[in-house]
Amino acid sequence: MARPDLETEAGRAAYRAELRRVGWRQRWAGLACIVVAAALVLFARDGRFGLTDNAVMAAYGLLAIGWVLVIYAVFQRTRHHKRRMAEGL
């Protein structure tokens, strides 16, 4: 692959779309984990659906997993960007 064409508007748009595709599954999975964990904490705090304090502990674990996935996706996208920029040299 050659270095992306960032001189034209079409080239920049294509490269932005390429970067958005890198790690999108991990980002969405991480976001889903974070939202589910937040809902679990809120529901367990109010005692809804029969959730107890054990659900809060599980939610914190799910929250940690979600953030790890999001950070990994950002790292993956940054690494991809660095490789693409170095290809033209």
Side-chain angles (χ1 to χ4, degrees), residues 42-60:
L42 290 175
F43 293 149
R45 184 181 61 174
D46 294 339
R48 292 185 195 168
F49 307 115
L51 295 174
T52 62
D53 290 336
N54 293 334
V56 173
M57 293 303 291
Y60 286 143

Side-chain angles (χ1 to χ4, degrees), residues 32-72:
C33 287
I34 291 168
V35 169
V36 168
L40 275 175
V41 168
L42 290 175
F43 293 149
R45 184 181 61 174
D46 294 339
R48 292 185 195 168
F49 307 115
L51 295 174
T52 62
D53 290 336
N54 293 334
V56 173
M57 293 303 291
Y60 286 143
L62 194 58
L63 187 65
I65 290 169
W67 278 111
V68 166
L69 283 170
V70 170
I71 291 169
Y72 172 71

Side-chain angles (χ1 to χ4, degrees), residues 3-21:
R3 189 173 181 172
D5 177 25
L6 301 178
E7 298 299 321
T8 64
E9 186 61 38
R12 285 190 295 273
Y15 187 59
R16 267 189 246 119
E18 177 185 335
L19 279 180
R20 269 194 299 270
R21 286 189 306 266

